Amino acid sequence: EQIAVAEPLAKNGETCLSPQAWELVKDCVIEGRILEQQPDFHLLLRMDESKYTFPTIKYATQLYDGRHESMFKLSELNVIRRYIPSSVFKQIEAGTLQYVNEMRNISVIFINGSGLDVMSKEGPKQAQDLMSSIQRACYAHEGTLNKFLIDDKGMLFLLVFGLPPLVHPDDPTRAVLASMEFVQVFKRLELIGRFGVTTGRSYCGVCGSAKRMEYTCLGDCVNLSARLMSHATPLGILCDE
């Protein structure tokens, strides 16, 4: 909610802080121009170098970073099994995570949803209903739900067909049929959905550093799917050739 308010207040190259974030850094930064329309939010001008320097702040952050103490050990991996794709989980168990990275043909569905206010009384329940319905329809066609995001612009789903071990010669057909079922889900919940479906060769693997990474898909067909989604009509499906 804080981000939804702060992001439109900042222009290109600016950083806007919510009142809660400002309380944590106000002693080591210099404030920029005043936001007359939202005076409790603050723009940063620069770090106050009379008190601190960037290398000092960076070193202090690394010195007091205690996240490594809470990291999962390999013996505790089963606790997070449901949050990791099965093929990736097996590679982690075997210590061969580097072999999960590959170029492969996949079919991608991008979904943009709107009309759901998660801050309302029934919003979280409706979001859970939507999420579980999308998952059921996706898994029925043996696809994979890769991402699910909710922000001030609405909901975003990224679904992929053709990731190991669920690979089929008719994955493009499965993606289109699944999209038709998704349309019915959005109709039932009285929400607006837009769908983009593409097929092509993409990078499928882990992205990020050793401290934080995720399994995802990158490539032209993924980007094209997002663009088709943005141009689709409400409850419409756009596909590539």
Side-chain angles (χ1 to χ4, degrees):
E1 189 175 355
Q2 297 175 36
I3 293 176
V5 177
E7 191 268 337
L9 297 174
K11 296 181 179 179
N12 185 30
E14 293 182 330
T15 301
C16 181
L17 299 184
S18 68
Q20 295 87 338
W22 176 254
E23 286 298 317
L24 299 174
V25 302
K26 63 181 181 181
D27 295 330
C28 59
V29 299
I30 296 176
E31 186 176 5
R33 61 182 176 85
I34 303 299
L35 296 169
E36 297 180 358
Q37 69 273 37
Q38 202 83 32
D40 52 335
F41 282 70
H42 304 268
L43 291 177
L44 295 185
L45 180 61
R46 65 177 185 276
M47 185 176 293
D48 188 350
E49 296 179 354
S50 65
K51 298 179 180 179
Y52 304 96
T53 62
F54 178 74
T56 305
I57 296 293
K58 181 179 179 180
Y59 176 75
T61 302
Q62 294 173 340
L63 184 65
Y64 293 102
D65 185 359
R67 290 177 295 177
H68 64 280
E69 300 172 0
S70 304
M71 289 178 63
F72 280 98
K73 300 178 177 62
L74 195 59
S75 58
E76 303 170 327
L77 198 59
N78 277 324
V79 178
I80 57 173
R81 183 164 194 158
R82 67 176 61 188
Y83 303 104
I84 303 175
S86 58
S87 59
V88 178
F89 186 87
K90 291 176 182 176
Q91 298 285 9
I92 296 174
E93 278 188 315
T96 55
L97 186 59
Q98 66 271 22
Y99 296 126
V100 81
N101 302 327
E102 59 184 340
M103 297 295 295
R104 64 187 305 124
N105 288 318
I106 57 173
S107 294
V108 178
I109 305 174
F110 255 106
I111 305 174
N112 173 259
S114 57
L116 174 61
D117 182 9
V118 293
M119 302 305 295
S120 65
K121 183 178 180 181
E122 295 296 323
K125 181 179 178 180
Q126 194 176 19
Q128 173 61 25
D129 189 6
L130 174 63
M131 182 65 176
S132 58
S133 298
I134 292 292
Q135 282 181 304
R136 280 195 297 270
C138 177
Y139 297 157
H141 294 277
E142 297 192 342
T144 302
L145 177 63
N146 186 261
K147 285 185 179 62
F148 172 55
L149 305 172
I150 296 182
D151 57 20
D152 59 309
K153 299 177 180 65
M155 300 164 287
L156 185 69
F157 296 84
L158 172 58
L159 304 106
V160 185
F161 290 75
L163 293 179
L166 304 174
V167 182
H168 316 87
D170 63 340
D171 278 323
T173 302
R174 290 171 182 260
V176 173
L177 292 175
S179 296
M180 292 179 178
E181 292 190 26
F182 299 153
V183 170
Q184 298 306 314
V185 170
F186 277 81
K187 283 183 178 180
R188 175 172 61 83
L189 296 175
E190 298 181 349
L191 300 173
I192 300 299
R194 293 176 169 84
F195 308 84
V197 185
T198 57
T199 297
R201 190 169 176 82
S202 301
Y203 167 80
C204 303
V206 293
C207 294
S209 67
K211 288 190 175 181
R212 187 183 188 279
M213 63 178 65
E214 66 171 328
Y215 181 79
T216 190
C217 302
L218 303 171
D220 291 342
C221 91
V222 180
N223 298 335
L224 178 58
S225 177
R227 290 190 175 92
L228 290 177
M229 173 198 71
S230 65
H231 287 85
T233 59
L235 298 178
I237 304 171
L238 286 182
C239 304
D240 65 353
E241 294 182 357

